Amino acid sequence: MHRPTQIMERALRKAGLTVIAGCDEAGRGAWAGPLVAAAVVLPENVRLPGVRDSKLLSERQRERLYGMITNKALAWNAAIITAECIDKHGVHKANLAALCQAVAELPVRAEHALIDTFHVETMPCPSTSVLHGDRNVLSIAAASVLAKVTRDRIMIELHELFPQYGFVRHKGYGTKQHQQALERFGPTPLHRTSFAPIARLAVLRAM
């Protein structure tokens, strides 16, 4: 299986930079709950066996790797954007804001950010957008794990408030179970009313 490397981080270090943050987000396509972005600054030549794109890992693997990453990282941070903010500004702007906030609020000042897929003009430091960065760049892969685990933990907590929706299982994504719960109980304040499936449901329930 392909493993992410520190090739891009090494190239930036050769250019004289030392604080390089990998960035990624989780929850962009979910129907409910927040969007979470994470930024991670890793030491040079760090070993993180098993770390890769969070989508390729099981929940149990991600939880184990979360502890490894947070223990070995020089710095890390997670930014949380609410469903209300997503509805107000749109998911794309909310996503960019989350990535920017994750880097801006690191406990160290990043000199360069490596971002999975997206170009963020408001990033507080120079940055590079990396296509498939979560699969190829170690710091981005580490950020993908932190973002996913942070968001999953939030959704598990929210399940206690709204157990009928099954957030503990689908984490707010558009599964059949989630659709059925929405049709039966209607949307909660956690649902993104700007997303088409929720908006359509609201229209139907108002008829």
Side-chain angles (χ1 to χ4, degrees):
M1 184 179 291
H2 177 76
R3 289 182 172 83
T5 71
Q6 285 193 296
I7 291 173
M8 292 197 72
E9 291 95 332
R10 290 191 192 103
L12 290 167
R13 287 192 179 95
K14 285 182 179 179
L17 304 177
T18 57
V19 184
I20 303 154
C23 315
D24 200 8
E25 52 75 29
R28 179 181 170 88
W31 291 359
L35 184 153
V36 176
V40 182
V41 180
L42 296 176
E44 188 173 4
N45 298 321
V46 67
R47 293 191 72 255
L48 293 172
V51 170
R52 52 180 55 87
D53 175 9
S54 64
K55 295 185 290 295
L56 304 177
L57 301 166
S58 68
E59 186 169 356
R60 189 171 183 177
Q61 288 173 321
R62 289 193 296 265
E63 281 286 346
R64 177 181 62 81
L65 293 170
Y66 179 97
M68 181 193 301
I69 294 164
T70 55
N71 283 333
K72 292 189 176 184
L74 296 174
W76 64 276
N77 180 50
I80 299 166
I81 304 295
T82 65
E84 181 181 11
C85 183
I86 293 168
D87 286 335
K88 183 177 180 180
H89 300 289
V91 68
H92 181 65
K93 286 186 178 179
N95 186 52
L96 299 184
L99 291 164
C100 183
Q101 182 181 335
V103 173
E105 295 180 357
L106 279 165
V108 297
R109 184 174 180 178
E111 296 173 308
H112 198 96
L114 298 171
I115 311 167
D116 184 47
T117 306
F118 296 100
H119 174 66
V120 186
E121 292 184 358
T122 55
M123 192 60 67
C125 63
S127 62
T128 303
S129 170
V130 186
L131 189 64
H132 304 307
D134 50 6
R135 298 198 178 198
N136 296 308
V137 179
L138 186 60
S139 60
I140 297 178
S144 79
V145 172
L146 297 197
K148 176 63 174 168
V149 172
T150 299
R151 187 178 186 280
D152 282 0
R153 289 177 178 178
I154 292 170
M155 297 309 297
I156 290 168
E157 290 179 3
L158 293 174
H159 175 80
E160 300 300 318
L161 297 176
F162 301 98
Q164 65 271 38
Y165 291 85
F167 291 143
V168 72
R169 289 181 288 278
H170 54 67
K171 307 302 189 296
Y173 284 90
T175 64
K176 184 177 180 180
Q177 178 197 15
H178 193 178
Q179 178 69 38
Q180 291 172 341
L182 276 166
E183 291 171 356
R184 182 177 179 185
F185 302 109
T188 71
L190 305 174
H191 283 92
R192 303 174 184 179
T193 57
S194 59
F195 278 36
I198 314 302
R200 282 197 300 268
L201 181 64
V203 170
L204 290 173
R205 291 177 69 87
M207 293 175 66

